[in-house]
Amino acid sequence: MPEFDLLVIGGGPGGYVAAIRAAQRGLSVGLVEKERPGGVCLNWGCIPTKAMLRSAEVFHTVTAAAEFGVYADNVRFDFGAVRQRKDGIVEQLTAGVAGLLKANGVTVIEGHARFTGPTTVEVSEAGPSPIYPDGPRYAAAPVTPIRQLTARDVVIATGSVPARLPIPGAELPGVITSDGAFGLTEVPKRVVIVGGSAVGAEWASLFHTFGAAVTVVEMQDRLVPVEDADIGAALGRSFTKRGITVLTGATVQAITETADGLRVSVGGPKPAEPVADVVLVGVGRRPNTADLGLDIAGIVTDARGFIPVDDGMATGVPHVYAIGDVTGKALLAHVASHQGMVAADVIAGQPSHIDYDVIPAATFTHPEIASVGLTEAAARTAGHEIVTATFPFAALGRAKTCGETEGFAKIVAGQRHGEVLGVHIIGPSASDLITEGALAISLEATLDELAGTIHAHPTLGEIGMETALAGLGMPLHIAPRKR
């Protein structure tokens, strides 16, 4: 007889949600986790970076306080205190997740899980971190088997780890990933960031606000290349205006150690050799399946190492499911959580699904970026006849009062019926505003319906209505576009 109805391997935003939902469905659930609950997102990713970015935002606001008629002298920041605040928030939230697991009757087993069969697992004590003693232990080999577990069904929720580039010099001291950035005890004077997608762009924004000289190297022709082209171009202009050096269409060829620091050889349209104290490689993530024993369980991965799953999160092995980053579907915490709920429901015999066409994403730079649905280019490639419209934050009364007027919203809609296909925002509170766009696409709303929905005034949320009106050719607070 199996010890558990369901065993979840990994306690991140996918794993702990799957465990809680399954327990709520009446299943006996075990969860194996080698770190604190919450996974990379809560301990080394989403939450700690946002906590530090908030400190940077406050610092920026206070230094610009005179614009609001408020005067503050001798403004400074304490990076140690910034890190301490971040740690406190993480500890509170991880303790909260641990409490939720306990309250829902989930049995948590600490250690490293390795398959000994499709639904049998050996748990070992996790080894020390290769990065820092109290840091993530996902890259360390397991040691000392301590327990054998059996379950009727198993969910793999082991997430992902930062990818490394095969660049000469990438192993040098001072070359770090986003995880290593949390080990910095002071802000480097000079930073080169390899990769201008969400991770790299966020760290660039943070380091620059705290006074570092920042250079971003991006292989594509614009920053945040998965976003709509207009959004990426706008972020590039914003970064450049603020003093961040942006090198696009560029690749790092080598990193060498010199007496003055790390010299980064950059090839591309504008070859350069910036020198840095720290080089942060933020070029994506790879599945975290090291020492998991997938072959023993009969689980086959794709060419990139991700685990293919069907709409119910099932792998090709009966009774074995996978969720989150390890599936390679969309490496976002909220996607992992929703996949976790789907897997738990399916295992409990309840119908469930996830719509990958309506996944909002956010990048917490300054200005913020958020999007959902199709970009303009993707809509055209898919064969849609479209209309696009933009509306600037500078034309919103609330944005003026907040002193945050940089950026705009863009809607991509079907030309014939006006159905909303994509919403893209760069500007204040973009991550909060994008939910209206996700709901509009999910409910198959049109420009007429979005424009006809009364929005409170004065709010930043009015930008959805105003952009829809522009798409209908009847804007109220900007000049109509010439046809």
Side-chain angles (χ1 to χ4, degrees), residues 255-330:
I255 304 170
T256 54
E257 197 168 21
T258 71
D260 189 36
L262 296 168
R263 185 176 301 279
V264 183
S265 299
V266 179
K270 298 179 179 179
E273 288 194 332
V275 177
D277 303 298
V278 167
V279 177
L280 191 156
V281 179
V283 290
R285 303 183 70 82
R286 56 183 175 83
N288 181 30
T289 55
D291 298 308
L292 194 57
L294 295 182
D295 54 336
I296 297 173
I299 298 168
V300 178
T301 60
D302 65 17
R304 298 180 300 157
F306 293 102
I307 301 173
V309 293
D310 64 15
D311 291 342
M313 304 299 116
T315 68
V317 177
H319 301 286
V320 180
Y321 300 76
I323 61 174
D325 287 7
V326 78
T327 68
K329 291 286 189 179

Side-chain angles (χ1 to χ4, degrees), residues 37 42 47 88-98:
L42 186 47
I47 297 301
I89 292 169
V90 169
E91 289 172 6
Q92 289 175 4
L93 291 176
T94 54
V97 171

Side-chain angles (χ1 to χ4, degrees), residues 333-344:
H334 44 284
V335 173
S337 293
H338 202 92
Q339 287 178 323
M341 290 187 284
V342 169

Side-chain angles (χ1 to χ4, degrees), residues 54 56-58 60-62 64 67-68 238 242 365-368 392-408 426-430 433 460 463:
R54 174 56 179 162
E57 181 183 20
V58 171
H60 170 78
T61 299
V62 175
E67 298 176 13
F68 299 86
S238 177
R242 291 166 57 192
T365 46
H366 186 208
E368 278 189 6
F393 278 97
L396 285 182
R398 182 61 188 276
K400 288 281 191 184
T401 64
C402 292
E404 294 284 351
T405 57
E406 184 178 13
F408 58 87
I426 179 168
S429 300
L433 298 173
L460 296 175
I463 202 162

